[in-house]
Amino acid sequence: MVFPAAVVIPTWNRAHLIAKAVEAALAQSHPDRVIIVVDDGSTDGTRAALSPYLAHPDVVLVELAQNAGTAQAKNVGILLAAGRAVTFHDSDDLPHRDKVLRQALVMARGDVGADPCLNWALAGQTPGSTLRIGAVLHHHALILPDGRRVEITRELSLIDDMFPNLQMGSEVPGDWTHVNSGLFHPDLFARLGGFVDGIEEDREFRNRVILSGEIVWMIRDVLMTKIETADSLSQSRATGYDSDRRRRDRQEVWSRIDHWFATRQVQPVDIDLGDLGISRISNAGRVGLSDALATARSRETVRRAIARGMDNG
């Protein structure tokens, strides 16, 4: 068995990159995957760059009425991925062709048990029980703006929030695990919800997954190369680690960690799209409304967008 998957590609004004990202997703060896491209209100030539893929049976193009940010673009993708595990690829990611397949094969395993020597109570498991794997992560590589290639093979995560200078001797400081390209079980979104709106959405989501006791499996191979350019979200001056915006978002991350320490409870995040409009969904027959936690209004927004897409298809 191979767990069915959705590759969600959020994009904004990346007309020069998006076709390569779609081609890389289509080249994945996974036999049962759909590619959901969420155009986050682009104002460049993104629509024209995507037009050759509108008729492809495995590609769904979602156009948002206005720019809402990466977190909300991901949330729209989650709500459209009914019954499928979800992974997220950025426009400038270079995934190994077997990345999603290897993740999906791990997720479908039925022989992973709770070992008696470990404390599985946090995950609601008892020793000897079969585990549902909530997330499958992998190592990755970075191509830095100066051309260097470094591999990220760390597997601790929360340490980066508490002790950010722990590994200053390495080429990339800190100790963190990249979750954006992880594969996430649909039940995880039903239990924990989606992404908090903000530029620290990956960090907050990562912490919520770990603190909630979800079973996280790590594939110890580099299955993705990420290209860091001067205008990348993590590199730009507007959203850099010393920006006011990121500092405000980091306070939100810490407040949720403090809540967990005080209560040992994780706060789910209902997806709330607010007034966000969905202008179009192409190939709407390939998607469906998921069971992810969301406000009634957000679910209705997505349901109507799917229905319009079916009517126009």
Side-chain angles (χ1 to χ4, degrees):
M1 173 187 173
V2 179
F3 209 103
V7 180
V8 175
I9 305 176
T11 188
W12 179 68
N13 286 351
R14 290 292 187 269
H16 58 298
L17 295 173
I18 190 59
K20 289 183 179 179
V22 175
E23 291 289 349
L26 287 172
Q28 288 293 304
S29 58
H30 193 301
D32 185 6
R33 83 281 183 271
V34 63
I35 293 90
I36 304 175
V37 183
V38 183
D39 181 3
D40 187 20
S42 294
T43 57
D44 62 354
T46 293
R47 176 181 289 190
L50 289 169
S51 61
Y53 303 100
L54 290 176
H56 196 290
D58 292 337
V59 177
V60 177
L61 173 60
V62 184
E63 293 183 348
L64 304 186
Q66 66 271 354
N67 178 251
T70 305
Q72 292 290 48
K74 291 177 183 177
N75 284 336
V76 170
I78 291 168
L79 283 175
L80 289 169
R84 293 180 177 272
V86 179
T87 186
F88 306 94
H89 291 185
D90 291 337
S91 301
D92 51 2
D93 285 344
L94 302 174
H96 188 285
R97 69 179 301 273
D98 295 326
K99 168 195 174 290
V100 180
L101 175 61
R102 290 187 61 183
Q103 291 174 301
L105 287 170
V106 169
M107 186 161 285
R109 288 182 59 167
D111 61 343
V112 180
D115 193 288
C117 74
L118 298 178
N119 177 17
W120 292 100
L122 179 63
Q125 303 288 341
T126 56
S129 63
T130 300
L131 303 177
R132 172 184 65 74
I133 297 175
V136 183
L137 310 181
H138 58 81
H139 294 164
H140 68 286
L142 289 178
I143 304 297
L144 299 176
D146 62 7
R148 287 180 298 143
R149 180 184 185 276
V150 294
E151 291 190 0
I152 309 298
T153 58
R154 304 169 193 159
E155 298 174 11
L156 301 175
S157 288
L158 294 175
I159 284 180
D160 183 50
D161 283 324
M162 301 174 189
F163 307 104
N165 298 327
L166 184 63
Q167 291 194 3
M168 287 301 291
S170 65
E171 291 187 84
V172 179
D175 192 332
W176 46 275
T177 300
H178 181 68
V179 300
N180 188 52
S181 58
L183 184 71
F184 301 98
H185 197 286
D187 289 351
L188 180 148
F189 299 111
R191 187 163 85 95
L192 298 179
F195 289 88
V196 172
D197 190 11
I199 59 174
E200 286 284 1
E201 84 279 358
D202 281 350
R203 180 186 297 269
E204 191 283 326
F205 182 72
R206 173 204 70 185
N207 292 355
R208 199 173 348 130
V209 168
I210 293 172
L211 293 176
S212 70
E214 285 286 341
I215 308 304
V216 179
W217 188 285
M218 175 65 70
I219 297 176
R220 292 186 171 94
D221 291 318
V222 173
L223 298 182
M224 173 80 79
T225 298
K226 300 186 68 63
I227 311 298
E228 294 284 352
T229 59
D231 63 346
S232 296
L233 188 63
S234 60
Q235 298 290 326
S236 70
R237 296 181 67 180
T239 59
Y241 281 91
D242 60 346
S243 69
D244 290 340
R245 181 182 178 190
R246 191 176 288 273
R247 280 195 292 268
R248 288 193 299 270
D249 280 3
R250 188 65 59 83
Q251 288 300 316
E252 172 72 16
V253 171
W254 263 107
S255 70
R256 291 177 175 275
I257 293 176
D258 289 341
H259 177 82
W260 183 86
F261 274 117
T263 67
R264 291 301 189 266
Q265 298 292 321
V266 169
Q267 299 167 294
V269 175
D270 282 32
I271 293 173
D272 185 359
L273 301 179
D275 295 326
L276 180 64
I278 300 175
S279 300
R280 178 173 69 157
I281 299 180
S282 72
N283 205 6
R286 290 284 274 141
V287 295
L289 185 59
S290 79
D291 293 329
L293 285 179
T295 63
R297 182 184 181 188
S298 297
R299 299 186 69 81
E300 182 63 13
T301 295
V302 173
R303 187 195 65 77
R304 290 186 177 184
I306 294 172
R308 288 197 306 271
M310 297 286 284
D311 291 342
N312 297 330

